[in-house]
Amino acid sequence: MDPQAHSTVSCVPNHSDFEKSIYDILVDSNEKISDIIAKSVIPGLDVAVSKISMAKLEPILLGELDAHYKLKDVIEPVRRKYEYIIIDTPPTLGLITINALVAATHILIPIQSSYLSLEGTDDLLDTIEKIRKLVNPRLEILGILITLHDRRTNISKDVVNKIKKVFGKKVFSTMISKSVKLEESPAYKESIFTYAPYSVGSIQYKKLAQEVIKRAKG
Ligand SMILES: Nc1ncnc2c1ncn2[C@@H]1O[C@H](COP(=O)(O)OP(=O)(O)OP(=O)(O)O)[C@@H](O)[C@H]1O
Ligand SMILES: [Mg+2]
């Protein structure tokens, strides 16, 4: 759902063969999502192709009565085909993110352990609460993920303590450290598991995956 389309570009080698993207599916109810689902380079992972055209989506949806429900409706036909569906969102709280929150069962919130990183979470929590009350009562916070963590700095320690005070048990016990390998792997279009399988980042993301699976199933 992110107009930057990074997952599409990095995981789907033949992405330019796709004329249409999730944008076309969301704006035209005659289109089917199965036509834009691509096999990725990662076994078991399919990607619904995104494009920069997603950036035009919000103003177009604005005038529609079911603007908040578009994604929920278009993924319905494939929901049961997959064990997990991961919806990536842009960093803003616009209509695209609202669509994701209406369609989702769980939300994972990454927070950087650097200065001012808690700014914006109040708005997000208010929005989640409203969406729960109005349209999606089953929406649950799966967890808060502390990322880009640098345990050498006092500011990181302070922010981690603050995040834990606010969110308690919701914070995943796995934290993702700031790491050069994690910074490099997207540039080489590889996941951390193939780019640097024995790095700290790879081990941390594997641990996170285990926590995510445990919480999502529980
Ligand atoms: N733990 C980390 N340590 C160092 N660099 C990182 C780490 N995590 C991510 N990065 C770098 O930051 C970039 C952005 O990360 P990522 O795409 O996960 O964040 P995002 O919030 O989804 O960003 P965007 O808004 O661009 O989608 C990555 O391309 C990577 O180079
Ligand atoms: Mg992103």
Side-chain angles (χ1 to χ4, degrees):
M1 293 295 275
D2 189 340
Q4 294 183 98
H6 283 164
S7 317
T8 302
V9 174
S10 57
C11 304
V12 182
N14 64 333
H15 64 92
S16 44
D17 296 348
F18 285 79
E19 261 170 48
K20 292 183 174 152
S21 73
I22 185 78
Y23 167 81
D24 302 274
I25 314 304
L26 290 164
V27 296
D28 183 350
S29 56
N30 296 314
E31 299 282 351
K32 285 201 302 287
I33 194 168
S34 50
D35 292 338
I36 57 102
I37 293 182
K39 287 256 167 290
S40 80
V41 291
I42 299 166
L45 179 72
D46 288 355
V47 174
V49 171
S50 183
K51 280 209 176 100
I52 187 72
S53 47
M54 277 298 277
K56 297 185 294 190
L57 184 70
E58 296 203 341
I60 288 174
L61 289 188
L62 264 178
E64 307 215 9
L65 269 174
D66 60 347
H68 299 155
Y69 295 87
K70 295 280 179 185
L71 181 65
K72 184 182 164 68
D73 291 345
V74 304
I75 63 178
E76 210 47 57
V78 290
R79 213 183 254 275
R80 253 150 234 102
K81 222 183 122 191
Y82 293 97
E83 204 177 353
Y84 297 98
I85 298 177
I86 300 168
I87 308 167
D88 185 28
T89 58
T92 46
L93 245 183
L95 255 181
I96 291 182
T97 300
I98 304 282
N99 263 271
L101 293 173
V102 170
T105 53
H106 299 84
I107 170 167
L108 186 155
I109 307 171
I111 304 183
Q112 291 186 20
S113 68
S114 57
Y115 185 50
L116 287 183
S117 60
L118 276 170
E119 287 222 329
T121 44
D122 276 357
D123 285 346
L124 177 62
L125 294 177
D126 284 350
T127 306
I128 292 172
E129 215 29 68
K130 272 187 203 139
I131 288 173
R132 259 201 211 118
K133 271 203 190 116
L134 296 170
V135 289
N136 186 6
R138 66 179 178 166
L139 180 66
E140 250 181 70
I141 295 180
L142 184 69
I144 309 294
L145 175 65
I146 297 170
T147 183
L148 280 163
H149 183 57
D150 184 350
R151 62 177 146 178
R152 294 165 306 179
T153 64
N154 287 329
I155 184 73
S156 271
K157 274 181 219 152
D158 286 352
V159 175
V160 167
N161 286 335
K162 209 168 147 199
I163 293 171
K164 285 187 173 161
K165 226 182 214 160
V166 176
F167 293 103
K169 278 201 214 127
K170 282 284 171 197
V171 182
F172 287 110
S173 35
T174 311
M175 289 192 269
I176 308 297
S177 305
K178 196 170 185 168
S179 102
V180 174
K181 290 277 183 278
L182 284 173
E183 189 179 350
E184 288 170 346
S185 71
Y188 295 100
K189 299 193 171 177
E190 281 195 61
S191 90
I192 193 65
F193 305 119
T194 55
Y195 180 69
Y198 305 107
S199 63
V200 172
S202 166
I203 292 161
Q204 289 172 337
Y205 268 109
K206 239 173 234 166
K207 276 180 66 193
L208 173 68
Q210 285 162 354
E211 274 196 83
V212 164
I213 291 166
K214 207 168 158 200
R215 289 191 186 192
K217 290 209 163 126

